[in-house]
Amino acid sequence: MAKPEDAFRQTGWLGLRARLFHFYFVLRRPMTLGVRGLIHDTASNSVFLIRHTYVPGWQLPGGGVEVGETLDDALARELAEEGNIALTALPTLKSMHFNRRASRRDHVGFYVIERFSQTAPKLPDHEIAEAGFFPLDRLPQGTTPATLRRIAEVFQGEQPSPYW
C-alpha cells in the first residue's frame, strides 16, 4: 500500500541526483544534533542532574541523536540510560540551541519533562559518576553554566539563549 509521502519521493535519475547531493552535503557540511531534558519533579520542586565520569560538572541528562532516530526517541533512550527514567507523557520541546563550545556544527534540542517515572535510582557506572534529584534552591556546587541558564529560562522566565 502506497504511503502519502511516496507521491513526493523522487525516483530514477532525479532521485539518484538528490541522494548524491545529500551525500555530498553530509560530507561537506556534517552537523551533529543532541537532546537534553530538564526533568522536573513538581512534588518536591527538584530537577534531575547527572555528573559524568569524563567531563566536569553537574548537568542535564541527554546525548546525541543517532542516525534514523527522532529527537523524542533519542531523549527517551538517553533518559533511560542516564537516569532509569521513563517518560509517561510526551516531553515538551522548549528551545533549540547552537552548542558552539562542542563544535561549529552542534545543536541541542532542549526539553522539559514533568511526567515521568524512575524505575530505580541511577547507580554509578562507566559513564555516570552520580545522578539524582536536587531542589531548585539547593543545586549542587559545580552545576554547569549551561544547566543554570536552562533552569533560569524555565523557572525564572529568562529569555532563551540561542546558544547552549
Side-chain angles (χ1 to χ4, degrees), residues 2-123:
K3 298 176 189 168
E5 59 268 12
D6 288 346
F8 298 96
R9 182 162 290 141
Q10 292 179 319
T11 59
W13 166 245
L14 291 177
L16 177 61
R17 187 180 77 159
R19 285 190 297 281
L20 288 173
F21 272 118
H22 180 75
F23 181 68
Y24 167 76
F25 285 116
V26 165
L27 293 177
R28 182 76 176 105
R29 300 180 185 163
M31 190 163 59
T32 56
L33 182 61
V35 291
R36 293 281 177 151
L38 188 153
I39 301 157
H40 180 223
D41 182 347
T42 56
S44 64
N45 199 30
S46 61
V47 293
F48 185 79
L49 300 176
I50 61 167
R51 193 172 63 77
H52 283 105
T53 57
Y54 52 89
V55 292
W58 287 92
Q59 54 195 290
L60 301 167
V65 178
E66 301 294 335
V67 173
E69 192 173 45
T70 68
L71 273 74
D72 287 355
D73 290 343
L75 181 66
R77 176 180 50 75
E78 290 290 344
L79 295 180
E81 291 173 1
E82 295 185 350
N84 294 327
I85 291 177
L87 299 170
T88 59
L90 289 175
T92 301
L93 178 62
K94 173 76 174 162
S95 50
M96 293 294 295
H97 303 268
F98 173 38
N99 189 5
R100 60 186 172 189
R101 291 192 68 218
S103 80
R104 297 181 321 140
R105 296 291 205 189
D106 190 49
H107 292 78
V108 179
F110 172 56
Y111 287 83
V112 175
I113 299 110
E114 292 186 326
R115 297 185 61 196
F116 64 92
S117 65
Q118 188 175 36
T119 58
K122 177 61 181 172
L123 300 176

